């Protein structure tokens, strides 16, 4: 059984920080592009960040560039999303996902990712 499990979400004040983790089990994801998406109530899935298999290529949505950092530890089959300077508009359920057909080219299209985690809620509010 292939699984992605996110953790690290929670409630944080504006300007605060959180680090999300996504652990893969049942399969080695070290060859594949991994991405983070988010979905706010009533909205579609939105690409947040992606990382190539080796970690040398990253891509970010304009809305998070300079505030969020994606990284991965292939030895631990884990991808991280460090989120700083959080804003209320960052409030959403955050999902990690794997693109099993890409190792370096990072797509921002949700439908191109085959494996998804269950999501973790991030709420930014005072």
């Amino acid at each position: 059984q292939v699984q992605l499990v996110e953790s690290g979400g929670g409630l944080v004040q504006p300007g605060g920080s959180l680090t999300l983790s996504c652990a893969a089990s049942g399969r080695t994801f070290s060859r594949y592009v991994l991405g983070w998406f988010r979905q706010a109530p009533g909205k579609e899935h939105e690409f947040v960040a992606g990382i190539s298999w080796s970690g040398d290529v990253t891509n970010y949505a304009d809305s998070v560039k300079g505030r969020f950092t994606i990284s991965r530890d292939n030895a631990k089959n884990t991808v991280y999303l460090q989120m700083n300077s959080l804003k209320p508009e960052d409030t959403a359920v955050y999902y990690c996902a794997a693109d099993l057909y890409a190792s370096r080219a990072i797509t921002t299209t949700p439908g191109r990712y085959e494996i998804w985690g269950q999501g973790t809620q991030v709420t930014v509010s005072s």
Side-chain angles (χ1 to χ4, degrees), residues 14-126:
S17 298
L18 278 177
T19 299
L20 306 182
S21 299
C22 174
S25 63
R27 184 170 184 167
T28 299
F29 285 87
S30 59
R31 292 185 177 181
Y32 309 116
V33 165
L34 297 175
W36 284 97
F37 291 79
R38 64 187 181 188
Q39 187 175 29
K43 294 190 175 181
E44 299 291 325
H45 280 92
E46 175 191 15
F47 173 81
V48 176
I51 189 167
S52 64
W53 74 274
S54 61
D56 63 330
V57 179
T58 57
N59 189 16
Y60 295 92
D62 288 342
S63 58
V64 307
K65 207 169 288 184
R67 299 188 297 124
F68 290 11
T69 302
I70 188 171
S71 61
R72 66 191 294 167
D73 184 341
N74 287 336
K76 297 182 179 179
N77 267 4
T78 302
V79 62
Y80 305 96
L81 186 67
Q82 173 68 44
M83 305 186 295
N84 298 325
S85 302
L86 283 161
K87 305 175 181 179
E89 51 263 44
D90 294 318
T91 295
V93 178
Y94 283 71
Y95 299 88
C96 67
D99 181 350
L100 302 183
Y101 293 93
S103 59
R104 287 185 61 82
I106 299 168
T107 178
T108 62
T109 305
R112 290 283 302 273
Y113 290 77
E114 290 79 22
I115 307 294
W116 290 76
Q118 84 290 346
T120 186
Q121 176 71 47
V122 172
T123 303
V124 184
S125 175
S126 55

